Amino acid sequence: MGIVSPGFRGRGRGRDVELPPGQYLTEDFPVLSAGPTPRVGKEDWEFTVTTESGREYSWDWRQFMELPSETPTVDIHCVTKWSKLGTRWQGVSLDTLLADVDTAADYMLAHSYGGYTTNMPLQDVLDGQAWIAYRFDGEDLPAEHGGPARLLVPHLYFWKSAKWVRGIRLLDQDEPGFWETAGYHDYGDPWREQRYQGD
Ligand SMILES: Nc1nc2c(c(=O)[nH]1)N[C@H]1C(S)=C(S)[C@@H](COP(=O)(O)O)O[C@H]1N2
Ligand SMILES: [Mo]
């Protein structure tokens, strides 16, 4: 299966699937990292939400593990054109993490150990659309795929799913992240093929 056109229909795991335009199916799980893999031990790991007024809400690994988790099964779409269907994760939803956070922000910037950043509207990570995931396919998330924990926002291109995530900043104004500054689309909807600025 090489060429996949917009609206392509095929069979994946016993269901009819439609891929976003320009994408092809892959069974393996490619690793895409802009730099070296940061090695962050769970004992040093911390996740922080910083509000637009500078208030911080932090969880260490033990506190994070005590939060209720979910087990989403989702399709992921990389801007380099591979899509992987039915990926199984475990993580804490952003709804849970932001439930008691006092904010009126419209945007967020995820930031990672190692310095990577990526932006999205806050409403795109609420209502069951995003998780801080720490298990993949029944195993602890491997370091090359973002372990100990990564952002998972499957409805946007996969560069929005920041690996080795250490926190999110809530912002009144949109601020481009690493790839968005380099010319990738600000929003990155795979179904509208928003790969690069101007798409
Ligand atoms: N911290 C960090 N997160 C990142 C990246 C990165 O380079 N650094 N690459 C992004 C891109 S472009 C993609 S496609 C996915 C790849 O995730 P994977 O390596 O688990 O397939 O991670 C995204 N998150
Ligand atoms: Mo990517």
Side-chain angles (χ1 to χ4, degrees), residues 29-35 78-79 82 112-113 116 144-146 150 158-164 179:
F29 195 175
V31 171
L32 281 101
S33 304
C78 176
V79 73
W82 56 265
S112 296
Y113 292 98
Y116 186 85
E144 67 267 26
H145 287 300
R150 77 180 297 164
F158 206 35
W159 88 77
K160 300 285 185 180
S161 294
K163 303 197 281 189
W164 317 294
W179 284 118

Side-chain angles (χ1 to χ4, degrees), residues 2 21 24 29 32 34 37 41 45-46 48 52 61 66 78 89 94 96-97 109 118 128-129 155 164 168 180 190-191:
Y24 66 87
F29 195 175
L32 281 101
T37 294
W45 185 89
E46 199 173 52
T48 302
E52 67 277 25
W61 190 261
E66 285 169 5
C78 176
W89 305 81
L94 272 285
T96 295
L97 289 165
L109 187 69
T118 186
Q129 296 186 94
H155 75 287
W164 317 294
I168 63 174
E180 295 84 7
W191 296 96

